[in-house]
Coordinates of all heavy atoms in Angstrom, one line a residue:
M1 N 23.7 10.5 -12.2 CA 23.3 10.0 -10.9 C 24.2 9.0 -10.5 O 24.3 7.9 -11.1 CB 21.8 9.5 -11.0 CG 21.3 9.3 -9.7 SD 19.6 8.7 -9.4 CE 18.7 9.1 -10.8
N2 N 25.0 9.2 -9.3 CA 25.9 8.2 -8.8 C 25.5 7.6 -7.5 O 26.3 6.9 -6.9 CB 27.3 8.8 -8.8 CG 27.4 9.9 -7.9 OD1 26.5 10.2 -7.0 ND2 28.6 10.6 -7.9
G3 N 24.4 8.0 -6.9 CA 23.9 7.5 -5.6 C 24.6 8.2 -4.4 O 24.5 7.7 -3.3
S4 N 25.3 9.3 -4.6 CA 25.9 9.9 -3.5 C 25.1 10.8 -2.6 O 25.5 11.1 -1.5 CB 27.1 10.7 -4.0 OG 26.7 11.8 -4.8
N5 N 23.9 11.2 -3.1 CA 23.0 12.0 -2.3 C 21.8 11.3 -1.8 O 20.6 11.5 -2.0 CB 22.5 13.2 -3.1 CG 23.6 14.3 -3.2 OD1 24.4 14.4 -2.3 ND2 23.6 15.1 -4.3
V6 N 22.0 10.1 -1.0 CA 20.9 9.3 -0.5 C 20.3 10.1 0.7 O 20.9 10.6 1.5 CB 21.5 8.0 -0.1 CG1 20.4 7.1 0.5 CG2 22.1 7.3 -1.3
T7 N 18.9 10.1 0.6 CA 18.2 10.8 1.7 C 17.1 9.8 2.1 O 16.4 9.2 1.4 CB 17.5 12.1 1.2 OG1 18.5 12.9 0.7 CG2 16.7 12.8 2.3
A8 N 17.0 9.7 3.5 CA 15.8 8.8 4.0 C 14.5 9.7 3.9 O 14.4 10.9 4.2 CB 16.1 8.6 5.5
V9 N 13.6 9.0 3.3 CA 12.2 9.7 3.1 C 11.3 9.3 4.2 O 10.7 10.1 4.8 CB 11.7 9.2 1.7 CG1 10.2 9.8 1.5 CG2 12.5 9.7 0.6
V10 N 11.2 8.0 4.6 CA 10.4 7.6 5.7 C 11.3 6.6 6.5 O 12.0 5.7 6.0 CB 9.2 6.7 5.2 CG1 8.3 6.2 6.4 CG2 8.3 7.6 4.3
S11 N 11.3 6.8 7.8 CA 12.1 5.9 8.7 C 11.2 5.4 9.7 O 10.0 5.8 10.0 CB 13.2 6.8 9.4 OG 12.7 7.8 10.1
G12 N 11.7 4.3 10.4 CA 11.0 3.6 11.5 C 10.0 2.6 11.0 O 9.2 2.1 11.9
I13 N 9.9 2.2 9.8 CA 9.0 1.2 9.3 C 9.9 0.0 9.2 O 11.0 -0.1 8.8 CB 8.3 1.5 8.0 CG1 9.3 1.9 6.9 CG2 7.4 2.6 8.2 CD1 8.6 2.2 5.5
M14 N 9.2 -1.2 9.5 CA 9.9 -2.4 9.5 C 9.3 -3.4 8.5 O 8.1 -3.4 8.2 CB 9.8 -3.1 10.9 CG 10.4 -2.2 12.0 SD 12.2 -2.0 11.9 CE 12.8 -3.6 12.3
N15 N 10.2 -4.3 8.0 CA 9.7 -5.4 7.1 C 8.9 -5.0 5.9 O 7.9 -5.5 5.6 CB 8.9 -6.4 7.9 CG 9.8 -7.0 9.1 OD1 10.9 -7.4 9.0 ND2 9.2 -7.0 10.3
V16 N 9.4 -4.0 5.2 CA 8.7 -3.6 3.9 C 8.9 -4.6 2.9 O 10.0 -5.0 2.6 CB 9.3 -2.2 3.5 CG1 8.6 -1.9 2.1 CG2 8.9 -1.1 4.5
V17 N 7.9 -5.0 2.2 CA 7.9 -6.1 1.2 C 7.9 -5.5 -0.1 O 8.6 -6.0 -1.0 CB 6.7 -7.1 1.5 CG1 6.6 -8.1 0.4 CG2 6.7 -7.7 2.8
D18 N 7.1 -4.5 -0.3 CA 7.0 -3.9 -1.7 C 6.5 -2.4 -1.5 O 6.0 -2.1 -0.5 CB 5.9 -4.7 -2.5 CG 5.9 -4.4 -4.0 OD1 7.0 -3.8 -4.4 OD2 5.1 -4.9 -4.7
M19 N 6.9 -1.6 -2.5 CA 6.5 -0.2 -2.5 C 6.2 0.3 -3.9 O 6.8 -0.2 -4.9 CB 7.7 0.6 -1.9 CG 7.4 2.1 -1.7 SD 8.8 3.0 -1.3 CE 9.6 3.2 -2.9
V20 N 5.2 1.2 -4.0 CA 4.9 1.8 -5.3 C 4.6 3.3 -5.0 O 4.1 3.7 -4.0 CB 3.7 1.1 -5.9 CG1 2.5 1.3 -5.1 CG2 3.5 1.6 -7.3
D21 N 4.9 4.1 -6.0 CA 4.5 5.5 -5.9 C 3.3 5.8 -6.8 O 3.0 5.2 -7.8 CB 5.7 6.5 -6.3 CG 6.1 6.3 -7.7 OD1 5.3 6.3 -8.6 OD2 7.4 6.2 -8.0
D22 N 2.6 6.8 -6.4 CA 1.3 7.3 -7.1 C 1.6 8.8 -7.4 O 1.3 9.6 -6.6 CB 0.1 7.1 -6.3 CG -1.1 7.5 -7.0 OD1 -1.0 8.0 -8.1 OD2 -2.2 7.3 -6.4
M23 N 2.2 9.0 -8.5 CA 2.6 10.4 -8.9 C 1.4 11.3 -9.1 O 1.5 12.6 -9.0 CB 3.5 10.4 -10.1 CG 4.8 9.6 -9.9 SD 5.8 10.2 -8.5 CE 6.4 11.7 -9.2
V24 N 0.3 10.7 -9.4 CA -1.0 11.5 -9.7 C -1.4 12.1 -8.4 O -1.7 13.4 -8.4 CB -2.1 10.6 -10.3 CG1 -3.4 11.4 -10.3 CG2 -1.6 10.1 -11.6
T25 N -1.5 11.4 -7.3 CA -2.0 12.0 -6.0 C -0.8 12.3 -5.1 O -1.1 13.0 -4.0 CB -2.9 11.0 -5.2 OG1 -2.1 9.7 -5.0 CG2 -4.1 10.7 -6.1
G26 N 0.4 12.1 -5.4 CA 1.6 12.4 -4.6 C 1.8 11.6 -3.3 O 2.2 12.1 -2.3
F27 N 1.5 10.3 -3.5 CA 1.7 9.4 -2.3 C 2.7 8.2 -2.6 O 2.7 7.8 -3.7 CB 0.4 8.7 -1.8 CG -0.5 9.7 -1.2 CD1 -1.7 10.1 -1.8 CD2 -0.3 10.2 0.2 CE1 -2.5 11.1 -1.2 CE2 -1.2 11.0 0.8 CZ -2.3 11.5 0.1
L28 N 3.3 7.7 -1.6 CA 4.1 6.5 -1.6 C 3.2 5.4 -0.9 O 2.6 5.8 0.1 CB 5.4 6.6 -0.9 CG 6.5 7.4 -1.5 CD1 7.6 7.5 -0.5 CD2 6.9 6.8 -2.8
Y29 N 3.0 4.2 -1.5 CA 2.4 3.1 -0.8 C 3.3 2.1 -0.6 O 4.1 1.8 -1.4 CB 1.2 2.7 -1.7 CG 0.0 3.6 -1.8 CD1 0.1 4.7 -2.7 CD2 -1.1 3.5 -0.9 CE1 -0.9 5.6 -2.8 CE2 -2.1 4.5 -1.1 CZ -2.1 5.5 -2.0 OH -3.1 6.4 -2.1
W30 N 3.2 1.4 0.5 CA 4.0 0.1 0.8 C 3.2 -0.9 1.6 O 2.2 -0.5 2.3 CB 5.4 0.5 1.4 CG 5.3 1.1 2.8 CD1 5.2 0.5 4.0 CD2 5.2 2.6 3.0 NE1 5.1 1.4 5.0 CE2 5.1 2.7 4.5 CE3 5.2 3.7 2.3 CZ2 5.0 4.0 5.0 CZ3 5.0 4.9 2.9 CH2 5.0 5.0 4.3
I31 N 3.7 -2.1 1.6 CA 3.1 -3.1 2.5 C 4.2 -3.6 3.4 O 5.4 -3.7 3.0 CB 2.5 -4.3 1.6 CG1 3.4 -4.9 0.6 CG2 1.2 -3.8 1.0 CD1 2.9 -6.0 -0.1
T32 N 3.8 -4.0 4.6 CA 4.8 -4.6 5.5 C 4.3 -6.1 5.8 O 3.1 -6.4 5.7 CB 4.8 -3.8 6.8 OG1 3.6 -3.8 7.4 CG2 5.3 -2.4 6.6
S33 N 5.3 -6.8 6.2 CA 5.1 -8.2 6.6 C 5.5 -8.4 8.1 O 6.6 -8.5 8.3 CB 5.8 -9.1 5.7 OG 5.6 -10.4 6.1
T34 N 4.5 -8.2 8.9 CA 4.7 -8.5 10.4 C 3.6 -9.3 10.8 O 2.9 -9.9 10.1 CB 4.7 -7.1 11.1 OG1 3.5 -6.4 10.9 CG2 5.9 -6.2 10.7
T35 N 3.4 -9.4 12.1 CA 2.3 -10.2 12.7 C 0.9 -9.7 12.1 O 0.0 -10.5 11.9 CB 2.2 -10.3 14.2 OG1 2.2 -8.9 14.7 CG2 3.5 -11.0 14.8
Q36 N 0.8 -8.4 12.0 CA -0.3 -7.8 11.2 C 0.2 -7.1 10.0 O 0.7 -6.0 10.2 CB -1.1 -6.9 12.1 CG -2.0 -7.6 13.1 CD -2.9 -6.6 13.7 OE1 -2.6 -5.5 14.2 NE2 -4.2 -7.0 13.9
A37 N 0.0 -7.7 8.9 CA 0.5 -6.9 7.7 C -0.3 -5.7 7.5 O -1.5 -5.7 7.8 CB 0.4 -7.9 6.5
K38 N 0.4 -4.6 7.0 CA -0.2 -3.4 6.8 C 0.0 -2.8 5.4 O 1.0 -3.1 4.8 CB 0.4 -2.4 7.7 CG 0.0 -2.6 9.2 CD 0.7 -1.4 10.0 CE 0.4 -1.6 11.5 NZ 0.9 -0.5 12.3
V39 N -1.1 -2.1 4.9 CA -0.9 -1.2 3.7 C -0.8 0.2 4.3 O -1.7 0.6 5.0 CB -2.1 -1.4 2.9 CG1 -1.9 -0.5 1.6 CG2 -2.3 -2.8 2.4
Q40 N 0.4 0.9 4.0 CA 0.6 2.2 4.6 C 0.9 3.1 3.4 O 1.3 2.7 2.3 CB 1.7 2.2 5.6 CG 1.4 1.3 6.8 CD 2.6 1.3 7.7 OE1 3.7 0.9 7.4 NE2 2.4 2.0 8.9
R41 N 0.8 4.4 3.7 CA 1.2 5.4 2.7 C 1.7 6.7 3.4 O 1.5 6.9 4.6 CB 0.0 5.8 1.8 CG -1.1 6.7 2.4 CD -2.1 7.1 1.4 NE -3.1 8.0 2.0 CZ -4.2 8.4 1.4 NH1 -4.4 8.0 0.2 NH2 -5.0 9.2 2.1
S42 N 2.4 7.5 2.6 CA 2.9 8.8 3.0 C 2.9 9.7 1.9 O 2.7 9.3 0.7 CB 4.3 8.7 3.6 OG 5.2 8.5 2.7
N43 N 3.0 11.0 2.1 CA 3.3 11.9 1.0 C 4.7 11.6 0.4 O 5.5 10.9 1.0 CB 3.3 13.3 1.6 CG 1.9 13.7 2.1 OD1 0.9 13.6 1.4 ND2 1.9 14.2 3.3
L44 N 4.9 12.0 -0.8 CA 6.2 11.7 -1.5 C 7.4 12.2 -0.7 O 8.4 11.6 -0.9 CB 6.1 12.3 -2.9 CG 5.2 11.6 -3.9 CD1 5.3 12.4 -5.2 CD2 5.6 10.2 -4.1
N45 N 7.2 13.2 0.1 CA 8.3 13.7 0.9 C 8.5 13.0 2.2 O 9.3 13.3 3.1 CB 8.1 15.2 1.2 CG 7.0 15.6 2.1 OD1 6.3 14.7 2.6 ND2 6.7 16.8 2.2
G46 N 7.6 12.0 2.5 CA 7.7 11.2 3.7 C 6.8 11.6 4.8 O 6.7 10.9 5.8
S47 N 6.2 12.7 4.7 CA 5.3 13.2 5.8 C 4.0 12.5 5.7 O 3.6 11.9 4.7 CB 5.2 14.7 5.7 OG 4.5 15.1 4.5
G48 N 3.2 12.6 6.9 CA 1.9 12.1 6.9 C 1.7 10.6 6.7 O 0.7 10.1 6.1
V49 N 2.6 9.8 7.4 CA 2.5 8.3 7.3 C 1.2 7.9 8.0 O 0.8 8.3 9.0 CB 3.6 7.7 8.0 CG1 3.5 6.2 8.0 CG2 4.9 8.0 7.3
E50 N 0.4 7.0 7.3 CA -0.8 6.5 7.8 C -1.1 5.1 7.3 O -0.6 4.7 6.3 CB -2.1 7.5 7.4 CG -2.3 7.5 5.9 CD -3.4 8.5 5.6 OE1 -4.4 8.6 6.4 OE2 -3.4 9.1 4.5
D51 N -1.8 4.4 8.1 CA -2.3 3.0 7.8 C -3.5 3.1 6.9 O -4.5 3.8 7.2 CB -2.7 2.2 9.0 CG -1.5 1.9 9.9 OD1 -0.4 2.0 9.5 OD2 -1.8 1.5 11.1
I52 N -3.5 2.5 5.7 CA -4.6 2.4 4.9 C -5.4 1.2 5.2 O -6.7 1.2 5.2 CB -4.2 2.3 3.4 CG1 -3.5 3.6 3.0 CG2 -5.4 2.1 2.4 CD1 -4.3 4.9 3.1
Y53 N -4.8 0.1 5.6 CA -5.5 -1.1 5.9 C -4.5 -1.9 6.8 O -3.4 -2.2 6.5 CB -5.8 -1.9 4.7 CG -6.7 -3.1 4.9 CD1 -8.1 -2.9 5.3 CD2 -6.2 -4.4 4.9 CE1 -8.9 -4.0 5.6 CE2 -7.0 -5.4 5.2 CZ -8.3 -5.3 5.5 OH -9.1 -6.3 5.8
V54 N -5.1 -2.5 7.9 CA -4.3 -3.4 8.7 C -4.9 -4.8 8.3 O -6.1 -5.0 8.5 CB -4.5 -3.2 10.2 CG1 -3.8 -4.2 11.1 CG2 -4.0 -1.8 10.5
S55 N -4.1 -5.7 7.8 CA -4.5 -6.8 7.1 C -4.9 -8.0 8.0 O -4.2 -8.3 9.0 CB -3.4 -7.3 6.2 OG -3.8 -8.5 5.6
Q56 N -6.0 -8.6 7.7 CA -6.4 -9.9 8.2 C -6.4 -10.9 7.0 O -7.0 -11.9 7.0 CB -7.8 -9.8 8.7 CG -8.0 -8.8 9.8 CD -7.1 -9.0 11.0 OE1 -6.9 -10.2 11.5 NE2 -6.5 -8.0 11.6
L57 N -5.6 -10.4 6.0 CA -5.6 -11.1 4.7 C -4.4 -12.2 4.6 O -4.3 -12.8 3.6 CB -5.5 -10.2 3.5 CG -6.5 -9.0 3.5 CD1 -6.1 -8.1 2.3 CD2 -7.9 -9.6 3.3
G58 N -3.7 -12.3 5.6 CA -2.5 -13.1 5.6 C -1.3 -12.3 5.1 O -1.4 -11.1 5.2
T59 N -0.3 -13.0 4.8 CA 1.0 -12.3 4.3 C 0.8 -11.6 3.0 O 0.3 -12.3 2.0 CB 2.1 -13.3 4.3 OG1 2.3 -13.9 5.6 CG2 3.5 -12.6 4.0
L60 N 1.1 -10.3 3.0 CA 1.1 -9.6 1.7 C 2.4 -9.6 1.0 O 3.4 -9.5 1.6 CB 0.6 -8.1 2.0 CG -0.7 -8.0 2.7 CD1 -1.0 -6.5 3.0 CD2 -1.8 -8.6 2.0
V61 N 2.3 -9.8 -0.4 CA 3.6 -10.0 -1.0 C 3.8 -8.9 -2.2 O 4.8 -8.9 -2.8 CB 3.8 -11.4 -1.6 CG1 3.8 -12.5 -0.4 CG2 2.6 -11.8 -2.6
G62 N 2.7 -8.2 -2.6 CA 2.9 -7.3 -3.6 C 1.8 -6.2 -3.6 O 0.8 -6.4 -3.0
V63 N 2.2 -5.0 -4.1 CA 1.2 -3.9 -4.1 C 1.3 -3.1 -5.4 O 2.4 -3.0 -6.1 CB 1.5 -2.9 -2.9 CG1 2.9 -2.3 -3.0 CG2 0.5 -1.9 -2.8
A64 N 0.2 -2.6 -5.9 CA 0.1 -1.8 -7.1 C -1.0 -0.8 -6.9 O -1.9 -0.9 -6.1 CB -0.2 -2.6 -8.3
V65 N -0.9 0.4 -7.6 CA -1.9 1.5 -7.5 C -2.4 1.7 -8.9 O -1.6 1.8 -9.9 CB -1.3 2.7 -6.9 CG1 -2.3 3.8 -7.0 CG2 -0.9 2.5 -5.4
F66 N -3.7 1.8 -9.1 CA -4.3 2.2 -10.4 C -5.6 2.9 -10.1 O -6.5 2.5 -9.4 CB -4.5 1.0 -11.3 CG -5.1 1.4 -12.6 CD1 -4.3 2.0 -13.5 CD2 -6.4 1.1 -13.0 CE1 -4.8 2.4 -14.8 CE2 -6.9 1.4 -14.2 CZ -6.0 2.1 -15.1
E67 N -5.7 4.2 -10.7 CA -6.8 5.0 -10.5 C -7.2 5.2 -9.0 O -6.3 5.7 -8.2 CB -8.0 4.6 -11.3 CG -7.7 4.7 -12.8 CD -8.9 4.2 -13.7 OE1 -9.8 3.6 -13.2 OE2 -8.8 4.5 -14.9
D68 N -8.4 4.9 -8.5 CA -8.7 5.1 -7.1 C -8.5 3.9 -6.2 O -8.9 3.9 -5.1 CB -10.2 5.4 -7.1 CG -10.5 6.8 -7.6 OD1 -9.6 7.6 -7.8 OD2 -11.7 7.1 -7.8
F69 N -7.7 2.9 -6.7 CA -7.6 1.7 -5.9 C -6.1 1.3 -5.7 O -5.2 1.6 -6.5 CB -8.3 0.6 -6.6 CG -9.8 0.9 -6.7 CD1 -10.3 1.4 -7.9 CD2 -10.7 0.6 -5.7 CE1 -11.7 1.7 -8.0 CE2 -12.0 0.9 -5.8 CZ -12.5 1.5 -6.9
V70 N -6.0 0.6 -4.6 CA -4.7 -0.1 -4.2 C -5.0 -1.6 -4.4 O -6.0 -2.1 -3.9 CB -4.2 0.2 -2.8 CG1 -2.9 -0.6 -2.5 CG2 -4.0 1.7 -2.6
Y71 N -4.1 -2.3 -5.0 CA -4.3 -3.8 -5.2 C -3.1 -4.4 -4.4 O -1.9 -4.0 -4.6 CB -4.2 -4.1 -6.7 CG -5.3 -3.6 -7.5 CD1 -5.1 -2.3 -8.1 CD2 -6.5 -4.3 -7.8 CE1 -6.2 -1.7 -8.8 CE2 -7.5 -3.8 -8.6 CZ -7.3 -2.5 -9.1 OH -8.4 -2.0 -9.9
V72 N -3.5 -5.4 -3.6 CA -2.4 -6.1 -2.9 C -2.6 -7.6 -3.2 O -3.7 -8.1 -3.4 CB -2.4 -5.8 -1.4 CG1 -2.1 -4.4 -1.1 CG2 -3.8 -6.2 -0.7
V73 N -1.5 -8.3 -3.2 CA -1.5 -9.7 -3.4 C -1.1 -10.4 -2.1 O -0.1 -10.0 -1.5 CB -0.4 -10.1 -4.5 CG1 -0.4 -11.6 -4.8 CG2 -0.7 -9.3 -5.7
S74 N -1.9 -11.4 -1.8 CA -1.6 -12.1 -0.5 C -0.9 -13.4 -0.9 O -0.8 -13.9 -2.0 CB -2.8 -12.5 0.2 OG -3.5 -13.6 -0.3
S75 N -0.2 -14.0 0.1 CA 0.6 -15.3 -0.1 C -0.3 -16.4 -0.4 O 0.1 -17.5 -0.9 CB 1.5 -15.5 1.0 OG 0.7 -15.7 2.2
H76 N -1.6 -16.2 -0.2 CA -2.6 -17.3 -0.4 C -3.1 -17.2 -1.9 O -4.0 -18.0 -2.3 CB -3.9 -17.1 0.4 CG -3.5 -17.1 1.9 ND1 -3.0 -18.2 2.5 CD2 -3.6 -16.2 2.8 CE1 -2.8 -18.0 3.8 NE2 -3.2 -16.7 4.0
G77 N -2.5 -16.4 -2.8 CA -2.8 -16.3 -4.2 C -4.1 -15.5 -4.4 O -4.8 -15.8 -5.4
V78 N -4.4 -14.6 -3.6 CA -5.5 -13.7 -3.8 C -5.1 -12.3 -4.0 O -4.2 -11.8 -3.4 CB -6.5 -13.8 -2.5 CG1 -7.7 -12.8 -2.7 CG2 -6.9 -15.2 -2.2
I79 N -5.7 -11.6 -5.0 CA -5.5 -10.2 -5.2 C -6.7 -9.4 -4.6 O -7.8 -9.7 -5.0 CB -5.4 -9.9 -6.7 CG1 -4.2 -10.6 -7.3 CG2 -5.2 -8.4 -6.9 CD1 -4.1 -10.6 -8.8
W80 N -6.4 -8.5 -3.7 CA -7.4 -7.7 -3.1 C -7.4 -6.3 -3.6 O -6.3 -5.7 -3.9 CB -7.2 -7.7 -1.5 CG -7.4 -9.0 -1.0 CD1 -6.4 -10.0 -0.8 CD2 -8.5 -9.6 -0.5 NE1 -6.9 -11.1 -0.2 CE2 -8.2 -10.9 0.0 CE3 -9.9 -9.2 -0.4 CZ2 -9.2 -11.7 0.6 CZ3 -10.8 -9.9 0.2 CH2 -10.5 -11.2 0.7
K81 N -8.5 -5.7 -3.7 CA -8.7 -4.3 -4.3 C -9.3 -3.5 -3.1 O -10.3 -3.9 -2.6 CB -9.6 -4.4 -5.5 CG -10.0 -3.0 -6.0 CD -11.0 -3.4 -7.2 CE -11.7 -2.1 -7.6 NZ -12.7 -2.4 -8.8
M82 N -8.7 -2.4 -2.8 CA -9.3 -1.5 -1.8 C -9.1 0.0 -2.2 O -8.3 0.3 -3.1 CB -8.5 -1.7 -0.4 CG -7.0 -1.3 -0.5 SD -6.2 -1.9 0.9 CE -6.1 -3.7 0.7
D83 N -10.1 0.8 -1.7 CA -10.1 2.2 -2.1 C -8.9 2.9 -1.5 O -8.6 2.7 -0.3 CB -11.3 2.8 -1.5 CG -11.5 4.2 -1.9 OD1 -11.0 5.1 -1.2 OD2 -12.2 4.4 -3.0
K84 N -8.2 3.6 -2.3 CA -6.9 4.2 -1.8 C -7.1 5.4 -0.9 O -6.2 5.9 -0.3 CB -5.9 4.5 -2.9 CG -6.3 5.6 -3.8 CD -5.2 5.8 -4.9 CE -5.5 6.9 -5.8 NZ -4.6 6.9 -6.9
F85 N -8.3 5.9 -0.9 CA -8.6 7.0 0.0 C -9.2 6.6 1.3 O -9.6 7.5 2.1 CB -9.6 8.0 -0.8 CG -9.0 8.5 -2.1 CD1 -9.4 8.0 -3.3 CD2 -8.0 9.4 -2.1 CE1 -8.9 8.4 -4.5 CE2 -7.4 9.8 -3.2 CZ -7.9 9.3 -4.5
G86 N -9.3 5.3 1.6 CA -9.7 4.8 2.9 C -11.2 4.8 3.1 O -11.6 4.8 4.2
R87 N -12.0 5.1 2.1 CA -13.4 5.0 2.2 C -13.8 3.6 2.6 O -13.4 2.6 2.0 CB -14.1 5.4 0.9 CG -13.8 6.9 0.6 CD -14.4 7.3 -0.8 NE -13.7 6.7 -1.8 CZ -13.5 7.3 -3.0 NH1 -13.9 8.5 -3.2 NH2 -12.8 6.7 -4.0
Q88 N -14.7 3.5 3.6 CA -15.1 2.2 4.1 C -16.0 1.4 3.1 O -16.5 2.0 2.2 CB -16.0 2.5 5.4 CG -15.2 3.1 6.5 CD -14.0 2.3 7.0 OE1 -14.1 1.1 7.1 NE2 -12.8 2.9 7.2
G89 N -15.9 0.1 3.4 CA -16.7 -0.8 2.5 C -16.2 -1.0 1.1 O -17.0 -1.4 0.3
R90 N -14.9 -0.8 0.9 CA -14.4 -0.9 -0.5 C -13.3 -1.9 -0.6 O -12.4 -1.8 -1.4 CB -13.9 0.5 -1.0 CG -15.0 1.6 -1.0 CD -16.1 1.3 -2.0 NE -15.5 1.4 -3.4 CZ -15.6 2.4 -4.2 NH1 -16.1 3.5 -3.8 NH2 -15.1 2.2 -5.4
L91 N -13.4 -3.0 0.2 CA -12.4 -4.0 0.1 C -13.0 -5.2 -0.6 O -14.0 -5.7 -0.2 CB -11.9 -4.5 1.5 CG -10.9 -5.6 1.6 CD1 -9.6 -5.2 0.9 CD2 -10.7 -6.1 3.0
N92 N -12.5 -5.6 -1.7 CA -13.0 -6.7 -2.6 C -12.0 -7.7 -2.9 O -10.8 -7.3 -3.2 CB -13.7 -6.1 -3.9 CG -14.7 -5.1 -3.6 OD1 -14.4 -4.0 -3.4 ND2 -15.9 -5.5 -3.6
C93 N -12.4 -9.0 -3.0 CA -11.5 -10.0 -3.5 C -11.6 -9.9 -5.1 O -12.7 -10.0 -5.7 CB -12.0 -11.3 -3.1 SG -11.0 -12.7 -3.7
F94 N -10.5 -9.7 -5.7 CA -10.4 -9.4 -7.1 C -10.2 -10.7 -7.9 O -10.8 -10.9 -8.9 CB -9.3 -8.4 -7.4 CG -9.3 -7.9 -8.8 CD1 -10.3 -7.2 -9.4 CD2 -8.1 -8.1 -9.6 CE1 -10.3 -6.7 -10.7 CE2 -8.1 -7.7 -10.9 CZ -9.0 -7.0 -11.4
V95 N -9.3 -11.5 -7.4 CA -9.0 -12.8 -8.1 C -8.8 -13.8 -7.0 O -8.1 -13.6 -6.0 CB -7.7 -12.7 -9.0 CG1 -7.4 -14.1 -9.6 CG2 -8.0 -11.7 -10.1
H96 N -9.3 -15.0 -7.2 CA -9.1 -16.1 -6.2 C -9.0 -17.4 -6.9 O -9.5 -17.6 -7.9 CB -10.3 -16.1 -5.2 CG -10.0 -17.1 -4.1 ND1 -10.8 -18.1 -3.8 CD2 -9.0 -17.1 -3.2 CE1 -10.3 -18.8 -2.8 NE2 -9.2 -18.2 -2.4

C-alpha cells in the first residue's frame, strides 16, 4: 500500500475532529467542531450521511463506538453516551 489510490468517501463536511468506524454495523462516525458540534455518520461507502446528534454539549473532542452506543468526549471533561441508532431518550452523562 503506497497511498496512490486515494478516494474521497464523504465530502462537504467541515471541521472534523475525530472519526471511528463501526465494522459490525457498517457505519463511519465522526464529530465536527463548529458553532453547533455534531455527531454524524454514513455508510462505509460514504452514502447516507445523517446527523445522530446536534450538540448542546459544548465542543466535542473525541468519539468511540461500542455495542449499541456512541461515546463522545466534550472539552468540559464529560463523556456522553448516546444510542447509535438514534432512539430518543438515550443521552446520558457517563463520567463527570
Side-chain angles (χ1 to χ4, degrees):
M1 188 178 342
N2 64 9
S4 62
N5 283 331
V6 177
T7 302
V9 177
V10 178
S11 61
I13 55 175
M14 302 293 291
N15 302 316
V16 174
V17 176
D18 197 8
M19 184 186 81
V20 65
D21 61 47
D22 183 356
M23 299 304 286
V24 174
T25 58
F27 288 106
L28 293 173
Y29 290 85
W30 61 89
I31 54 175
T32 61
S33 177
T34 59
T35 54
Q36 280 194 318
K38 293 181 179 182
V39 179
Q40 296 179 294
R41 77 175 181 187
S42 74
N43 296 307
L44 290 175
N45 67 5
S47 66
V49 174
E50 61 181 328
D51 293 346
I52 297 298
Y53 188 75
V54 177
S55 177
Q56 304 300 320
L57 308 176
T59 302
L60 303 177
V61 296
V63 63
V65 173
F66 182 70
E67 295 181 346
D68 289 347
F69 299 97
V70 176
Y71 297 86
V72 294
V73 181
S74 77
S75 61
H76 302 296
V78 179
I79 298 172
W80 294 91
K81 173 181 164 182
M82 63 193 72
D83 187 274
K84 72 181 178 185
F85 301 106
R87 295 178 286 218
Q88 296 299 317
R90 300 293 295 262
L91 178 65
N92 300 82
C93 179
F94 187 63
V95 174
H96 188 239

